[in-house]
């Protein structure tokens, strides 16, 4: 049996779910025969810490007394804001000793402050990606995925994305079946792929201020299989194509074409997850002219083909024969 120690760093202002979510995943995996994750928590001085919710957490030890872990996990929370010389000094010295270095949410800010993210592709909570990129220009920040793997380094977006990342690590260590078992036990029916966007299409774009543009946004999400070319959308908004495209981007933060692409991809993903419809039918219902066009969109955005996406992420209720 391979023994893997997971050490979770605690500090005042930690987001409790960033720490406890992944810990529950590893603890759940350890219930399987032949699987062992030893979970440890530590704070700088070994004393209790107060989470952002007010929850009081008692670590197992101080960081100085903690064993060298297989996986070192640094959660996020309001406590990551500002400077943390003692904690980052400890991370700078001891984090390289771990075989796997993981951050959840704004824990990436602490790793960046310690100089551990320089030259790496990472992510963090969407609200702090710009800050991370600005304050640490040597770090390649990708604001879209829910988690990113770069060698021994793994970083995730906010809160529940840490659970997705932990499930991916369990799959890496012990296989897909165990990761699915743990996900179902935690009632996390879909183990989201790391390159899934942090936001849905509707949330990733701002809501337009003007009523005609808001109506167009709603129309797009309700009719992904319609003619959604700029000329058609502009006519619906009663604007010239040029004025519409400029106004849409100014008010939503994205172009009409990119918004349409996200809506169609999201619609296709939901149908793959929740139905047994054939891929060709899903492609047409989602506005793709051919199944091949949908396959190219999936490979570009999610690095996987529709059939493989369905195999990995179909909800239990939709399991059944699906002709592709």
């Amino acid at each position: 049996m391979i023994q893997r120690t997971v050490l979770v760093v605690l500090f005042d202002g930690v987001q409790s779910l960033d720490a406890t979510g992944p810990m529950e995943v590893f603890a759940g995996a350890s219930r399987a025969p032949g699987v062992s994750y030893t979970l440890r928590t530590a704070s700088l001085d070994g004393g209790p810490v107060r989470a952002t919710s007010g929850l009081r957490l008692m670590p197992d030890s101080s960081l100085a007394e903690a064993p060298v872990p297989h996986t070192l996990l640094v959660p996020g929370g309001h406590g990551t804001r500002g400077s943390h010389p003692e904690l980052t000094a400890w991370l700078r010295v001891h984090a390289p000793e771990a075989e796997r270095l993981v951050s959840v949410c704004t824990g990436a800010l602490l790793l960046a402050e310690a100089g551990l993210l320089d030259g790496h592709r990472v992510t963090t909570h969407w609200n702090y990606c710009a800050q991370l990129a600005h304050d640490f220009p040597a770090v390649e920040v990708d604001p879209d995925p829910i988690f990113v793997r770069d060698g021994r380094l793994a970083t995730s977006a906010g809160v529940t994305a840490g659970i997705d990342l932990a499930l991916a690590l369990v799959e890496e260590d012990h296989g897909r079946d165990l990761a699915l078992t743990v996900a179902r036990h935690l009632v996390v029916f879909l183990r989201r792929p790391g390159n899934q966007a942090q936001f849905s299409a509707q949330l990733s774009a701002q809501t337009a201020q003007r009523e005609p543009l808001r109506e167009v946004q709603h129309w797009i999400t309700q009719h992904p299989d319609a003619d959604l070319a700029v000329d058609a959308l502009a006519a619906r908004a009663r604007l010239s194509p040029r004025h519409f495209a400029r106004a849409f981007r100014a008010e939503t933060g994205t172009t009409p074409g990119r918004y349409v692409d996200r809506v169609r991809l999201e619609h296709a993903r939901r149908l793959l997850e929740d139905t047994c419809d054939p891929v060709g039918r899903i492609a047409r219902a989602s506005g793709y002219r051919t199944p091949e066009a949908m396959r190219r969109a999936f490979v570009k955005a999610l690095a996987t083909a529709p059939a493989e996406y369905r195999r990995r992420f179909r909800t239990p209720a939709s399991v059944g024969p699906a002709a592709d």
Side-chain angles (χ1 to χ4, degrees):
M1 178 188 299
I2 299 176
Q3 189 96 13
R4 292 181 173 89
T5 300
V6 179
L7 176 63
V8 180
V9 177
L10 299 180
F11 46 86
D12 281 324
V14 67
Q15 165 64 257
S16 58
L17 191 56
D18 286 0
T20 59
M23 289 180 73
E24 290 292 345
V25 171
F26 293 121
S30 293
R31 298 187 185 101
V35 177
S36 179
Y37 290 100
T38 300
L39 301 175
R40 302 276 298 179
T41 58
S43 65
L44 268 173
D45 61 2
V49 302
R50 186 75 67 178
T52 53
S53 63
L55 181 67
R56 189 170 180 265
L57 302 174
M58 177 60 75
D60 295 309
S61 70
S62 69
L63 286 172
E65 298 167 333
V68 176
H70 172 273
T71 300
L72 178 63
L73 189 149
V74 182
H78 294 317
T80 61
R81 298 174 181 175
S83 181
H84 310 81
E86 290 184 80
L87 181 53
T88 53
W90 185 91
L91 288 170
R92 191 176 298 112
V93 172
H94 296 283
E97 299 173 351
E99 292 188 37
R100 204 157 53 192
L101 180 58
V102 177
S103 71
V104 180
C105 195
T106 55
L109 297 176
L110 294 176
L111 296 185
E113 188 181 339
L116 299 167
L117 301 187
D118 289 358
H120 291 283
R121 176 173 167 262
V122 306
T123 195
T124 187
H125 189 286
W126 63 269
N127 200 37
Y128 292 91
C129 285
Q131 176 186 332
L132 180 61
H134 177 271
D135 293 348
F136 303 97
V139 180
E140 181 186 347
V141 181
D142 189 339
D144 289 330
I146 59 171
F147 64 82
V148 170
R149 295 296 307 276
D150 188 351
R152 61 182 284 273
L153 176 66
T155 55
S156 78
V159 195
T160 56
I163 295 175
D164 294 294
L165 175 53
L167 287 166
L169 297 178
V170 168
E171 180 175 354
E172 177 183 295
D173 294 340
H174 297 287
R176 179 172 177 267
D177 288 346
L178 179 57
L180 280 173
T181 298
V182 175
R184 287 171 182 147
H185 177 74
L186 295 174
V187 201
V188 183
F189 292 109
L190 296 180
R191 294 183 305 103
R192 297 176 292 176
N195 46 13
Q196 180 170 316
Q198 292 192 35
F199 272 156
S200 68
Q202 291 87 341
L203 289 177
S204 61
Q206 303 167 41
T207 300
Q209 296 179 0
R210 281 182 277 182
E211 184 64 26
L213 297 180
R214 287 201 302 272
E215 290 178 356
V216 167
Q217 284 183 286
H218 182 70
W219 169 262
I220 292 171
T221 59
Q222 295 299 311
H223 302 87
D225 58 338
D227 178 5
L228 301 180
V230 169
D231 287 357
L233 296 176
R236 180 164 293 276
R238 298 176 294 278
L239 297 170
S240 72
R242 183 176 181 181
H243 186 190
F244 169 77
R246 185 166 57 244
F248 190 95
R249 181 164 190 169
E251 295 197 19
T252 68
T254 189
T255 65
R258 186 169 299 174
Y259 186 80
V260 168
D261 288 345
R262 290 177 177 175
V263 167
R264 284 176 167 162
L265 184 70
E266 185 175 312
H267 186 265
R269 278 183 34 240
R270 284 201 303 268
L271 292 178
L272 289 169
E273 294 164 2
D274 298 337
T275 77
C276 296
D277 292 348
V279 168
R281 184 183 304 166
I282 290 174
R284 291 190 297 274
S286 303
Y288 296 103
R289 285 182 290 183
T290 65
E292 175 60 22
M294 186 172 84
R295 191 194 71 82
R296 289 197 299 269
F298 266 70
V299 170
K300 180 180 179 180
L302 302 174
T304 189
E308 175 62 14
Y309 182 92
R310 162 172 270 168
R311 186 184 73 81
R312 292 174 63 88
F313 301 107
R314 183 186 296 168
T315 58
S318 67
V319 172
D324 291 344

